[in-house]
Amino acid sequence: MGHDDERARRWRLALGGAAAGQLEGADARMDAALAALYDGKGDRGAGLGASAPRVARWLGDIREYFPSTVVQVMQKDAIERLDLTRLLLEPEMLEAVEPDVHLVGTLLSLNRLMPDRARESARAVVRKVVAELESRLSRRTRAAVTGALDRSGRTHRPRRAADIDWGRTIRANLRNYLPERNTVVPSRLVGYARRQQAVQREVVLCVDQSGSMAASVVYSGVFAAVLASMRSLRTSLVVFDTAVADLTDRLADPVEVLFGTQLGGGTDINRAVAYCQGLVTRPADTIFLLISDLYEGGVREEMLRRVAAMTAAGVQVIVLLALSDDGAPQYDHDNAAALAAMGVPAFACTPDAFPDLMAAAIERRSYDQIRMAAPGR
């Protein structure tokens, strides 16, 4: 096929309608799959309706003709635009879909409605996505956190050259500068201490499980399970809407963690922060991660006072407006500004940047918020 013919083919697929009438074979089926989802009630767009067989055929077509990344987008659009959530309660449908984070979020929101015969199929979908996320994220998270913990202590007798903090060593020995040799004589070394495998930090993840935070809930559950597997951290996971649920005892199995959430409902950040305050036993060694879009349905002033009290006690408080790859989130700008005014950062973070964020938090050093939110790292 020549360049002009390929260009004409692509335009026919993009324009649909009368132009698509000239398509044949596989191209015609691709156009029909796009039309069923995006054409609404136009000339060609009969939609998918509520017919399970028709949806199953459509799912098969899009998996045959489009790459998996496009399939995931189309599935998400179909669930939102055509209200296919009811069909996801059928095991046959769950076996036909392409598993991804957004699908897991939808299944978790339907958790309480699932019939028993669909529950195991849903668990299989969630288990597959969780395994893929753990494979992608766990090794780097453990490496970043372990390295940060090793470097967070200082010693004047570093055991190896690799343990020397050259920046601090040079600053500590500037009085020993020899101008004739243009060098500093390091009479005192500053290095990183290698600590024993005792609990060095407490990490409390407090996750908003309102419907808009679905992807963040999935990633938070996976990261919490990874952090909980590290003996040098004591990790707690709390999820909330208008009620608070402590899922710490489920962290050995992230699938159980996710099925312990209940997406949807209102939001009472103040109540969740109050509960998490009671989990802190070593304020100076505690990192408190509030993962929320900050739309508060509880008592805003009291929530801000609680956060201020935590920071005054030495707790390192960080607010993640989203933990996902979904781009810039919607959030309560007034609450974010109020937190920033008391020195609490509030920004979105991608899953790939989360290990770097944890390392920076452990070492109490600054981090580039723009880089944390940049997709594709």
Side-chain angles (χ1 to χ4, degrees), residues 11-55:
W11 271 111
R12 291 188 187 107
L13 284 169
L15 294 173
Q22 304 174 46
L23 296 171
E24 298 178 351
D27 287 346
R29 292 183 67 185
M30 290 174 65
D31 178 70
L34 292 167
L37 175 57
Y38 296 113
D39 280 7
K41 296 182 179 179
D43 293 335
R44 300 176 306 155
L48 297 175
S51 166
R54 183 167 188 171
V55 175

Side-chain angles (χ1 to χ4, degrees), residues 141-153:
T141 301
R142 290 190 181 96
V145 170
T146 300
L149 289 168
D150 285 343
R151 293 190 299 269
S152 61

Side-chain angles (χ1 to χ4, degrees), residues 147-213:
L149 289 168
D150 285 343
R151 293 190 299 269
S152 61
R154 302 292 175 182
T155 179
H156 295 298
R157 302 179 69 179
R159 297 180 183 179
R160 307 178 307 170
D163 294 337
I164 298 174
D165 184 337
W166 288 108
R168 289 177 179 265
T169 295
I170 290 171
R171 287 194 294 273
N173 290 277
L174 286 176
R175 62 185 177 186
N176 298 329
Y177 176 67
L178 301 178
E180 65 276 11
R181 299 198 174 187
N182 194 30
T183 190
V184 172
V185 178
S187 62
R188 185 166 70 96
L189 297 177
V190 180
Y192 306 116
R194 299 277 164 172
R195 297 191 174 186
Q196 301 298 317
Q197 286 298 314
V199 173
Q200 299 178 36
R201 293 289 189 279
E202 296 182 0
V203 179
V204 180
L205 289 92
C206 184
V207 185
D208 183 343
Q209 60 177 356
S210 57
S212 60
M213 300 294 293

Side-chain angles (χ1 to χ4, degrees), residues 243-280:
V244 176
D246 191 330
L247 302 181
T248 304
D249 60 351
R250 304 190 188 192
L251 285 176
D253 185 350
V255 176
E256 286 299 315
V257 167
L258 294 179
F259 274 95
T261 64
Q262 187 171 354
L263 288 170
T267 308
D268 192 337
I269 303 173
N270 176 54
R271 176 177 292 187
V273 174
Y275 179 86
C276 291
Q277 277 184 294
L279 300 177
V280 177

